[in-house]
Amino acid sequence: MADITSATSAPNAGLSFLGQYSGITTDVVDQLIEAESGGKTLLQNKVTKYNQEKSAWSEISSALSNFQTKLKALQNNDSYYSKIAKSSNEDLATISGNSDAKNGGDFELLVSQLAKQTKLTGSQVSAAETNSTDLNLNGKLTFAYQGEKTDDSPETVDIDITEKDSLLDIADKINKESKNIGVSAVVINKRLVLTNNKSGAKETTLDQTKNTATLAALGLNTSADLGQAAKYSLDGIDMESDSNVISDAIDGATVTLKKEIKPEDAVTLSLKNDDSKTVKAATDFVTQYNNLMSLIKSNLDVGNPSASTAESSSTNVQGKLVGDSTLQRLQSSLRNMITQADKDNGASLSPFDMGFSVDKDGVLSLDEDKFKSQLADSPEKVHDFFYVQGEDSFDESTDTGYTAKLNNLVNEFISNDATKKGIITNKSDSIDKMVKDLNSQIDDFTARLADKREQYIAQFTQLDSIMMQADSQMQYMQSQLGVDQQ
């Protein structure tokens, strides 16, 4: 009888032997495994769907974050009270304004006298061959204390001078104490020159009644050239200032005097509200709102159900979050809030008054002329319509205004605070957990299919072996019968 054990003796011999008698090859085994893989495919489709949902929520979170940035811009004072400051001649004087400045219009400026600092110019020091020569002088200079006043503040500050000090060394020592003594020093042609840090008709802080020998040796026993205040007029109102940089003449504005200005050279200073920043903040808000709502709509789109009928060759394409009640609630809340003022802050204006309107398709638009008219009438009212800060500056939920209620809604969805996670963060965490569980099930299913495939190969290989033995025995019997017949 023929030896059949050699068919399965080599590694992987079962695979090469499979199907030689039964006709059941590895292709047939693969088809059987594929038929049993339906459950795995369903699990994989669920993973794909969840990942698509997570991606969609991530896009919505980014859009909400961008929308919140535009809301914050409408809450910022700089968007309402920025100023356009102009001078008819910036070589003579300039003007600038901060968010506290009022819309003051034009001012006529004349300057009869610029402010200057008190200056004490010492006589030339004979002991100094150069500015850096050691003076062989021991002594001190006493200055009145000009620093920050506290209970421990000294009345005076002494500058000690040693024999190794040169004029430059002494100037350095004075300058190191400049903030405390109100004086700065330079050396010019072997002379010490002391200048008050602040302008105005103020005496030098150097005490010339003490250390007279040291003062004489350094040439500082001379009289100081007394400083003076600036004298100017705004719209005919005469004023004085110890500084040429004047911040107390016009609320929220700073005027810098550069030269004397005669009546025939009168400078016109203007300070007006910069409405362009406010209008841009409002139009950016409208654009981002529409982008957000368009994204939400596309994710909730049911598509065209008739596209998937038996008569149609196309497939219906739906949004990634179609039917999601959470996203539908966000869409509905935004639609309602965008057309309503916040009644809690007592604002006298409505979105319609501000120029906001929504068409039949839900698209928000802004009538800029109407908006600018409200700004011209009262920037304060416009600001309060959009935002009023609550009593607790660290708790945004206490804020009121049109943007505040929208901001609270956005925070409800995208907040990532450790104590209170937003809806999207929680959804993302939940999806991650479900995907992790599904992947674990897929791994188990894959392992079971691999085991099943090995079982099929073993069974069908055994079947081929049995059929081979039967065939061999048949051939043997036929050969024996043939011999007997001869």
Side-chain angles (χ1 to χ4, degrees), residues 119-123 191-194 219-220 222-225:
K119 184 174 291 187
L120 175 60
T121 302
S123 57
R191 300 170 187 264
L192 275 172
V193 180
L194 307 183
L220 295 176
T222 59
S223 297
D225 179 15

Side-chain angles (χ1 to χ4, degrees), residues 116-120 146 182-183 195-205 224-229 241-243:
K116 70 176 185 178
Q117 299 147 294
T118 294
K119 184 174 291 187
L120 175 60
Q146 301 293 308
V183 168
T195 304
N196 282 14
N197 293 340
K198 295 181 179 179
S199 53
K202 301 173 182 177
E203 297 289 344
T204 180
T205 63
D225 179 15
L226 193 63
Q228 63 185 27
S241 171
D242 281 339
S243 172

